[in-house]
Structures are given as structure tokens and as C-alpha cells.
Amino acid sequence: MTGHGTRGRSGGRPTLEEVAARAGVGRGTVSRVINGSPRVSEATRAAVEAAVAELGYVPNTAARALAANRTNAIALVVPEPETRFFAEPYFSGMLHGVGAELADTEMQLLLIFAGSARERQRLAQYLAAHRVDGVLLVSVHADDPLPDLLDQLEIPTVISGRRSAEETLPAVEADNFAGARSAVRHLVARGRTTIAHIAGRLEIYGAQCRVDGYRAGLEEAGHAVDEDLIVPGDFTEEGGRRAMTRLLEHHPDLDAVFAASDVMAAGARQALRALNRRIPEDVALIGFDDSAIARHMDPPLTSVRQPIEEMGRAMIDVLLAEIAERRPTGVRGAVHRQVLLPTELVERASS
Amino acid sequence: MTGHGTRGRSGGRPTLEEVAARAGVGRGTVSRVINGSPRVSEATRAAVEAAVAELGYVPNTAARALAANRTNAIALVVPEPETRFFAEPYFSGMLHGVGAELADTEMQLLLIFAGSARERQRLAQYLAAHRVDGVLLVSVHADDPLPDLLDQLEIPTVISGRRSAEETLPAVEADNFAGARSAVRHLVARGRTTIAHIAGRLEIYGAQCRVDGYRAGLEEAGHAVDEDLIVPGDFTEEGGRRAMTRLLEHHPDLDAVFAASDVMAAGARQALRALNRRIPEDVALIGFDDSAIARHMDPPLTSVRQPIEEMGRAMIDVLLAEIAERRPTGVRGAVHRQVLLPTELVERASS
DNA sequence: AGGTACTGTGGGAGCGCTCCCACAAGTGAT
DNA sequence: ATCACTTGTGGGAGCGCTCCCACAGTACCT
């Protein structure tokens, strides 16, 4: 006999009531102990805890959620058409951090995809049903209606990158500006004089910040910013290749390129190869993200690392705080938490 | 007024009861309509559906779960220490499939990490609390106690790769054997004569299957299998490099290598470079997984693609079937579903 | 002495649903 | 006419909790 017989009459899992009976107290008291209320005497608490341990009691989440009108769940919403985002350490790293931070909590993590119209529809249902206490929104675009919906429903939300400088929602992101600037500083320090930038999609605020950082890096070094050296890419490999090709046409003399993503840097590398530029001898190349691509590129790519795991942790921290304060996002004029995390330049052979 | 006033008295979300009142029927009837019971007349059904639409009724999940004693949730358990698994398209692709398949369902997806001892502890609690209707277990090792725990708790489970040929749990995986064989066939067809294999960790059944497939590919072509040409790696880049180096020491004449993963192939490539072997002129190289690394390698790596998204879908299909049949996994002697999905050889410049 | 405050506790009510029994009404065989 | 089903429906009971009110007990003022 291994103690299973200790269970309640029906053989099912023990309930609060049974724990109460066992401990010789009332239901309310057990509930208080379970929920860590301070208004319980030490002796009683000990007795209840003993009963809990003996019976192997585990609270029923559904009953809890129903009675307390909260779900103890948060959703990570992934606008999935962006498979670009989805692959690569970016996503998994963030998840890593999210998971780690959540491990200390009772909260559970729901993964929701909101790619197709149907999925978005379903998500709206989810949210309308208030099936989660909070939402983590990754890679939201400026024109995404989701934040507003969440706002209306008064569901605490954290996004993984501000949509603009005036972002009102709680947000967590890497310091794109400083990261880009550090890349340029590095190139300047290595004696590069004609430094181009392959930018990301500029409707994404983070890409914009990287451009600003690039500018700042040049300016603080006393270099003039040649707008022609800034070419927009679209975060794809093909875009990087095109941008690089164009840059070389107009500026055959350039000796360094800072791309706003590793994937674009990979494209740029192909274009450089095609036109017989050696990396880094002729042209130094730096990417952004420090993804697997960077490590496996030939030559290995210097890249700006984002503390992705930290970002995941920070998102959870902020979200839990928002939930705890029952401060619905978007309360007019409320100042929300926004976290900017430092980046790190990972130097490799490409620069 | 946009119709919000139609809501129930307290301004909260409408309940079953309110829908019933609105439709002029009883609670039970509304419940039947919501759950798609056939025992409702057409007229009544229409009336209820109208009321649901008017009130914007969304069932309360918690209440449902409590009353029906099911959760409408499944968990994807990730044994996270394996960051190797976690990064790369493998995970995200599978998630993709899982999400797509789940979109047709009421089921929600919980992501649970079971890396550290503490996380595993917490997971056990989760499961004990029967907070999910089923579990997806990815990359389980042969000695993992989790499957047994799930078995005891009678929670339907699907794993993402058999632990052995005698696997009793429902499982979904790529046809590792056929995939490996196709790689070898390809090499043989290209006239390669001395084909080595860098194997994965052999305690993983899938890696074992790949070895078998490698053997089969040689044998069917009438080549003898030289056991010396099979070197175990450990799925890491460093392991691939070491294995390759050793192979070249003993078999300087080899003209092809099939690695059991892209990451190991990347390591092998480095070793080949270091010893001045050209790819593919001197040595053809093939990997497994068709990951981003393969596409970005120089030269691009021929690789065996696993239909990862399909695998995700299949896992959900099987799991939902298991749940529907309320067939607890591990019923003695029961034949469980096992799905083997076809692989595809993606030919690139490395072979 | 009588207030006025706590602190700790028990237990009723109720969260929103599903399950199931009861029952009305219809159908067809006896 | 009676019985035996079937079909559709209403609503009670109850899932396991949290919330909150009531109340006993103790402490510290007036």
C-alpha cells in the first residue's frame, strides 16, 4: 500500500472540503492557507499543510477560475504569417525567458496563433471570453487592430517592441538604437570610412531606431551621413542581396556595411561575393540578431546580439505587474512600463 | 448605441441562462445547441442561435471545465535543456502544424517546459491536477520517467519519436530509415563509392534508424558496409567536426559523408575545409533536417527534409483521437496509433 | 463596567456550466 | 383503448472553488 487509499471516497482527486475535514477546520480556512492569506494562525496553517501533503491535494484550476473570475493563464499571441519571426532563436529564446520567469508562478502559458483571418477571429473569441488574464503580443505592426481590441476588453497586455516613439502600451525591447550605434562605432574604430546601412522595413519602429543609431554612430565620429548609403531592405535575404547590389553600383568604394538583420546580411554577403568583394578585407559586414545564421556564415558574421531571453523574462515581469495592479492597459494617460534592454556586439571574422 | 446595452443586467458577459431567457427556452436546450447535440428541433436551434448572436454569447471555459470535468486544453511539453531541439525550424515548424490543426478545435495549447528538476516537479503537479486533456511530448529519451507518469495518470499522450522499435505509446515521426536511405541512394547514384556516416546519439532511436537506413542504402546498391565508416557523433557541431577528422584520418580516400543532422554536417564541413577537401568535388556532404543551416552553408547543403509541420498536425490528430476515445495510453496490449511520415531529399550544391 | 477594535475562523451563497432525470407530446404496435 | 417507445424539452443538482458575512475570542481603550 503506497498511500493511495487515503484519498476521498470516490477515488477521485481530493477536494478542498476533504482537506478541511482531515485538518479539522473549515473550508474557508483551507482556502486561506492555499492562497497564502496572512490571516491564519501558525498552528492551523501547519495542520492544513499537513493534510494537504497527506492527501496530495492539488487545487482544481477550473473551479478556482470560475469562482474567482480569473484564469491564471496568459496568452502568447504570435502573428504567425511572419514565419521569419517564428524561426530562429528569436522566438525560442524569448519563449525560454518567458518560461523561466513563469516557472515561479501559478500562471500557465497559452500559445495562440493569429496569422490567418480565421485564427484572428478565434483569438477575438478567446479574448472576449476572458480566457486569459493577460496577453503577450510579439512583433505587432503599427496598424494591427489587436492592441486596441485588448484595450477595449481591458486585458493587460505587453508588446515586444514599441510601435512608435509614442507607444502607450507596456513594451519590452532591445535597445535598437544603441545596438546599431555600437555596430557603427566598431566599424569606425576599425578604420572603415564608407559605411553603408541596409535598413529593415521602416514601418517597423525598431528598424527605424536602428537607422537612427547608425546615424548617431557616424555623427559622433564626425562622419557626415550620406543618405544614399542607407538602403531599405525588407528583412529578407533577397532584400539584402538587392540592397547590397544597389549599394555597390552607386558606391563601389564602400568598405563596410551594417545590415539591420542577419538574414539581410546573408543576402548582402551573396551580393558581395558575386561582385568579388572579400569579407572583411574589402568590405566589413555586420548583422543584427546574432542568430544561428551569423555563427554559420562564411566568414562568421559579427552581429548585434539582443538579450532575447531577458526580453522574455522582462515581458512576463511587466505583464504580471500589470495584472497584479489590475491596471487595464490603455487607461487614459496612465504611464505604462516600458523596458529597454542593452544589446551586445558579438565580434566575429566578418569585420 | 452599438448594442452593448443588450447585455445582461450586471454588464458582464452574458450567461447561458440569459441566452435561454432571450430565446425563450430552458438552460438545457441552450447547452445542447452550444454543444451541437442532435436532439434539438430545427426551429429551437435557430432561435437559440439567434439569441447567441444577439447577445454575443461566449461560453465560460472555466465553468465548462468544472462541470464537465474536462479542460479543453492540451499541453506541449518541452524537455527544454535540449536547446538544440528548441532552436531551429524543428520546433517552430512543429508548432506551426500543431497550431494549424488545433485551429479547427476548441482545444487550447499550453506550453510547458520541463527542463529543470523544479520545472518537472511543477509539471507533475499540473498533470496530477488534470489540467490538460492530453499531452504532446517532444523528444523524449528512452529513460524519461514522464511517459510512465502520464500512463499512471491515464492522460492521453503522443510522443514525437518512438523510444524504441517496441514503442507502445502513440507516436509520430519522420521516416528516418527511408530518409537516410534516400541520402545514400543519392550519393551512390552520383557515383560516390566510399560513403561514410556520421551518426547521431545512438541511444536515440531515430538516430539508430538513420544508421539502419544508411546500411540499407549501401546494401541495396551492392556495396559492403564498412563499419569503420560509421562514426558516432552527438548531434553537435563539435561532434561532427571530430567525427569527420577521425574519418579522414582512417579513410583519406572517402568521397562522401552522410551526417545524421545538419549541425553535425556543419562541423564536418569545417573539418573537411581544414584538411583541404573541396565540397562537393572531393567529398560530397549530406545532412539531415533541412534546417536554416543547410540553406546558408557554403556550399549549400543537401539535406533530408522532415515534414515537420505535418508531424505537428499528425501529433494533434492522433492525440485528439486518443482523447476522443478516452483510451488512456498504456492500456495493456492496446495497439496505439503510430504515424511515420515520408521525408524528402533536398538537393543542393554540397553533393 | 462598557465600548471599539482587531484576529481567526466557519460556512452560506454563488460562479456558469453539464449531466441527467422527469415529463409532455407524438408515433406506432397490440 | 393500452402500452411501449421515441423525440424534444425544462430544470434540479452539483462540479470545487472563492468571497464575504457572521461570530467567537482576545486586547486595549475609555
Side-chain angles (χ1 to χ4, degrees), chain A residues 229-345:
Chain A
L229 282 172
I230 305 176
V231 186
D234 53 3
F235 280 127
T236 68
E237 191 165 346
E238 178 53 29
R241 180 163 32 221
R242 273 203 308 272
M244 192 70 243
T245 306
R246 219 172 91 198
L247 277 168
L248 285 174
E249 269 170 29
H250 301 310
H251 300 274
D253 57 318
L254 61 77
D255 60 5
V257 178
F258 164 53
S261 82
D262 286 350
V263 174
M264 290 197 297
R269 173 186 156 279
Q270 291 177 15
L272 287 167
R273 280 274 164 111
L275 293 167
N276 292 313
R277 298 297 205 286
R278 290 167 305 167
I279 304 172
E281 293 83 352
D282 301 325
V283 179
L285 185 60
I286 297 190
F288 207 108
D289 289 342
D290 188 32
S291 58
I293 296 173
R295 286 189 298 282
H296 289 284
M297 194 180 289
D298 179 41
L301 180 70
T302 294
S303 188
V304 180
R305 195 184 84 85
Q306 307 190 51
I308 308 180
E309 198 170 323
E310 301 287 313
M311 288 165 67
R313 301 184 97 100
M315 288 185 77
I316 292 295
D317 285 347
V318 173
L319 185 59
L320 291 181
E322 292 285 328
I323 293 171
E325 295 181 13
R326 307 230 160 261
R327 180 210 271 173
T329 57
V331 166
R332 212 164 307 290
V335 180
H336 281 114
R337 278 161 250 254
Q338 296 191 346
V339 178
L340 216 57
L341 292 167
T343 60
E344 178 196 355
L345 187 70

Side-chain angles (χ1 to χ4, degrees), chain A residues 36-331:
Chain A
S37 157
R39 330 191 115 273
V40 181
S41 73
E42 263 324 304
T44 311
R45 179 182 308 279
V48 171
E49 274 163 359
V52 166
E54 280 165 36
L55 297 176
Y57 171 73
V58 183
N60 178 317
T61 330
R64 233 180 196 179
L66 179 58
N69 195 33
R70 58 180 157 64
T71 63
N72 267 327
I74 65 163
L76 175 63
V77 175
V78 184
E80 211 205 343
E82 333 254 334
T83 318
R84 165 189 68 73
F85 161 85
F86 203 22
E88 279 305 308
Y90 193 80
F91 182 68
S92 47
M94 176 169 291
L95 225 40
H96 211 114
V98 164
E101 202 66 16
L102 233 35
D104 301 326
T105 325
E106 286 285 87
M107 287 280 175
Q108 51 192 49
L109 180 66
L110 256 66
L111 205 56
I112 305 186
F113 303 97
S116 65
R118 224 172 89 253
E119 283 171 341
R120 288 190 97 89
Q121 173 64 31
R122 196 172 166 243
L123 171 59
Q125 287 267 315
Y126 249 94
L127 300 177
H130 280 266
R131 271 149 87 149
V132 289
D133 293 335
V135 170
L136 248 38
L137 225 47
V138 292
S139 87
V140 229
H141 290 309
D143 55 349
D144 197 311
L146 228 42
D148 289 332
L149 173 61
L150 287 159
D151 194 286
Q152 270 176 39
L153 294 168
E154 304 197 335
I155 298 175
T157 307
V158 175
I159 61 179
S160 75
R162 288 174 294 169
R163 290 164 298 170
S164 75
E166 292 78 34
E167 182 60 73
T168 53
L169 286 177
V172 172
E173 65 195 316
D175 192 338
N176 290 302
F177 178 86
R181 193 180 52 191
S182 74
V184 174
R185 272 183 188 163
H186 169 84
L187 291 169
V188 168
R190 296 277 166 113
R192 305 288 171 165
T193 53
T194 312
I195 303 172
H197 177 44
I198 300 179
R201 289 164 47 196
L202 295 181
E203 67 272 26
I204 293 174
Y205 182 63
Q208 192 59 255
C209 290
R210 291 176 195 178
V211 174
D212 295 344
Y214 160 80
R215 285 210 173 87
L218 289 181
E219 281 163 3
E220 69 176 21
H223 290 51
V225 177
D226 179 351
E227 293 298 328
D228 274 10
L229 282 172
I230 305 176
V231 186
D234 53 3
F235 280 127
T236 68
E237 191 165 346
E238 178 53 29
R241 180 163 32 221
R242 273 203 308 272
M244 192 70 243
T245 306
R246 219 172 91 198
L247 277 168
L248 285 174
E249 269 170 29
H250 301 310
H251 300 274
D253 57 318
L254 61 77
D255 60 5
V257 178
F258 164 53
S261 82
D262 286 350
V263 174
M264 290 197 297
R269 173 186 156 279
Q270 291 177 15
L272 287 167
R273 280 274 164 111
L275 293 167
N276 292 313
R277 298 297 205 286
R278 290 167 305 167
I279 304 172
E281 293 83 352
D282 301 325
V283 179
L285 185 60
I286 297 190
F288 207 108
D289 289 342
D290 188 32
S291 58
I293 296 173
R295 286 189 298 282
H296 289 284
M297 194 180 289
D298 179 41
L301 180 70
T302 294
S303 188
V304 180
R305 195 184 84 85
Q306 307 190 51
I308 308 180
E309 198 170 323
E310 301 287 313
M311 288 165 67
R313 301 184 97 100
M315 288 185 77
I316 292 295
D317 285 347
V318 173
L319 185 59
L320 291 181
E322 292 285 328
I323 293 171
E325 295 181 13
R326 307 230 160 261
R327 180 210 271 173
T329 57
V331 166

Side-chain angles (χ1 to χ4, degrees), chain B residues 294-306:
Chain B
R295 286 189 298 282
H296 289 283
M297 195 179 288
D298 181 40
L301 181 70
T302 294
S303 188
V304 179
R305 195 184 83 84
Q306 306 190 52

